[in-house]
Amino acid sequence: MLLELAQWLARDIRAFSVFNYITLRAVLATLTALAIGLVFGPVLIRKLAQMKIGQAVRHDGPQTHLTKSGTPTMGGALILIGVGASTLLWSDLSNRFVWPVLLVTLGFGWIGWVDDYRKVVRRDPRGMAAKEKYFWQSLIGLAAAIWLAFAVPAQSNAQVLDLLGGWAMSGFTSGLPPTADLIVPFFKNIAYPLGVFGFIALTYFVIVGTSNAVNLTDGADGLAILPAVLVGSALGVFAYVSGNAVFSKYLLIPYVPGAGELTVFCGAIAGAGLGFLWFNAYPAQVFMGDVGALALGGALGTVAVIVRQEIVLFIMGGVFVAETLSVMLQVGYFKYTKRRYGEGRRIFRMAPLHHHFEVGGVKESQVVVRFWIVTMMLVLFGLSTLKLR
């Protein structure tokens, strides 16, 4: 929006041409989203408190969490406002990736909003039924996957439709160029062709899986938001180099024309996340709820697919992966032992993983900071894949 205005003004005033630089707009998007969070955060918290939209705490969880009961939740709406407003203000809205990423983020945020609303406002402990939630996640994830399957190898919005039409006319047999291959980090020439259906399946699982992984991690003050900021910022670096023909060739990563514009979006995530962390840091004044966690996860997964760094996302988001695996292992082992021995047994003291440490006597703030440190190391390791090949 503001980019178009700047480009129009640049015809007469050359100084405005500086706004064509992605890096500048990424910085401005970060600052804009951060300002929105800091300014409107107190207003949103007061509004949520007045509406008595407070967090319900599970009684079988760590006893230290019982004091959190009633803390305003659904604060993830503040993140969505910051990301949405900053992206619309500073991005090139004609870019073929900006709208899909933004719509996926808002779509998953809507799912989380409905779930939170039913739990907190309607006092329905089930919230959105698991099947209903998964249906809407799958619908959005598949729609995004189909679009991205042809947007990644395309050069423009029009070409996306041409490639989609050509695939349909071929009887759904045409393939995708190497740009859409699954890239294996640390190796120069190892990539696996996916084909259209393979790309769609992988994209679907990355988007939906990352969304749910971030949601499972959001169980302690500040635990999920800073890792999301760190991973999002790193993906912004990947987006910038992937969208630059010179850098991508030098670093031996796929050149995806237009992907650089997602640097602005990632900057908005970083700014909005830091603005939210101001109020979500221990002791939290507000929780993001599913509305924020599902949206952030969906956004990270979508950007990772576009820049062809799904495996690197798995590495950098190791905390999200560990939290998810802990739940899967716990539930699976409990069901197995109950069926085999008549009594359910557990691997961890409590799942997700951060609760395991809390029940073991580690303070919540220590668990959170240590998970932050682990994420920082994993993000740096992921960024190293840009050069180590």
Side-chain angles (χ1 to χ4, degrees):
M1 188 180 298
L2 292 180
L3 175 61
E4 294 181 0
L5 176 61
Q7 289 174 336
W8 179 75
L9 292 173
R11 299 173 186 174
D12 300 312
I13 308 173
R14 290 187 60 187
F16 282 97
S17 61
V18 72
F19 289 99
N20 288 319
Y21 290 101
I22 291 174
T23 49
L24 174 62
R25 289 188 284 115
V27 170
L28 292 173
T30 303
L31 295 176
T32 301
L34 176 60
I36 290 173
L38 295 178
V39 171
F40 293 100
V43 178
L44 179 64
I45 292 172
R46 286 197 299 271
K47 187 66 176 179
L48 292 173
Q50 291 172 1
M51 297 174 65
K52 297 182 179 180
I53 300 179
Q55 178 72 27
V57 179
R58 50 189 284 195
H59 293 281
D60 59 339
Q63 295 302 300
T64 55
H65 284 216
L66 295 178
T67 58
K68 301 175 185 286
S69 182
T71 301
T73 187
M74 299 176 71
L78 183 66
I79 300 174
L80 292 182
I81 293 170
V83 171
S86 298
T87 302
L88 292 175
L89 285 173
W90 297 111
S91 289
D92 178 4
L93 300 182
S94 64
N95 183 279
R96 68 187 185 283
F97 296 126
V98 170
W99 282 107
V101 171
L102 190 57
L103 290 175
V104 167
T105 304
L106 296 177
F108 276 88
W110 170 79
I111 296 171
W113 175 272
V114 174
D115 190 31
D116 286 337
Y117 183 84
R118 292 181 183 179
K119 288 178 183 176
V120 179
V121 179
R122 293 187 178 179
R123 307 297 178 185
D124 183 353
R126 298 174 302 170
M128 182 181 286
K131 290 183 178 179
E132 182 185 1
K133 181 188 293 186
Y134 187 66
F135 168 79
W136 288 111
Q137 286 179 317
S138 297
L139 186 64
I140 296 172
L142 282 174
I146 293 172
W147 174 265
L148 294 179
F150 302 99
V152 168
Q155 301 287 326
S156 63
N157 285 312
Q159 192 177 8
V160 176
L161 299 177
D162 291 339
L163 290 174
L164 179 59
W167 179 58
M169 293 295 292
S170 70
F172 306 105
T173 59
S174 62
L176 294 174
T179 306
D181 291 351
L182 176 62
I183 306 300
V184 180
F186 300 112
F187 296 94
K188 291 182 180 181
N189 301 313
I190 298 182
Y192 295 98
L194 296 171
V196 176
F197 288 107
F199 185 98
I200 291 173
L202 176 65
T203 300
Y204 165 78
F205 284 115
V206 169
I207 294 175
V208 176
T210 307
S211 176
N212 287 309
V214 175
N215 193 34
L216 287 172
T217 306
D218 182 36
D221 298 358
L223 178 58
I225 188 61
L226 187 59
V229 167
L230 293 172
V231 175
S233 300
L235 286 174
V237 175
F238 280 100
Y240 184 76
V241 298
S242 296
N244 186 292
V246 176
F247 291 160
S248 60
K249 182 179 180 180
Y250 173 72
L251 295 170
L252 301 176
I253 62 175
Y255 171 50
V256 184
E261 198 63 32
L262 294 180
T263 309
V264 180
F265 177 80
C266 291
I269 288 180
L274 290 175
F276 180 77
L277 180 60
W278 185 273
F279 306 102
N280 185 235
Y282 182 86
Q285 297 174 256
V286 64
F287 300 130
M288 73 168 77
D290 287 7
V291 61
L294 291 177
L296 284 173
L300 297 178
T302 307
V303 174
V305 167
I306 293 172
V307 299
R308 314 305 308 126
Q309 299 297 333
E310 299 92 342
I311 296 178
V312 173
L313 173 64
F314 186 85
I315 295 171
M316 297 192 300
V319 166
F320 302 137
V321 174
E323 294 274 56
T324 304
L325 287 178
S326 69
V327 173
M328 295 173 64
L329 290 172
Q330 185 88 319
V331 173
Y333 187 70
F334 185 87
K335 290 182 178 179
Y336 168 75
T337 53
K338 187 173 184 179
R339 185 171 61 252
R340 184 176 179 86
Y341 304 109
E343 179 184 5
R345 301 175 184 177
R346 294 173 172 83
I347 300 174
F348 305 98
R349 299 184 186 95
M350 183 177 293
L353 187 60
H354 60 271
H355 286 327
H356 168 79
F357 294 110
E358 288 183 77
V359 174
V362 183
K363 293 182 179 179
E364 177 185 352
S365 56
Q366 289 180 308
V367 174
V368 170
V369 173
R370 289 170 183 174
F371 275 40
W372 287 355
I373 294 172
V374 170
T375 301
M376 291 177 190
M377 292 188 295
L378 292 174
V379 166
L380 291 174
F381 184 63
L383 287 172
S384 72
T385 64
L386 282 169
K387 189 60 180 173
L388 298 179
R389 293 181 181 272

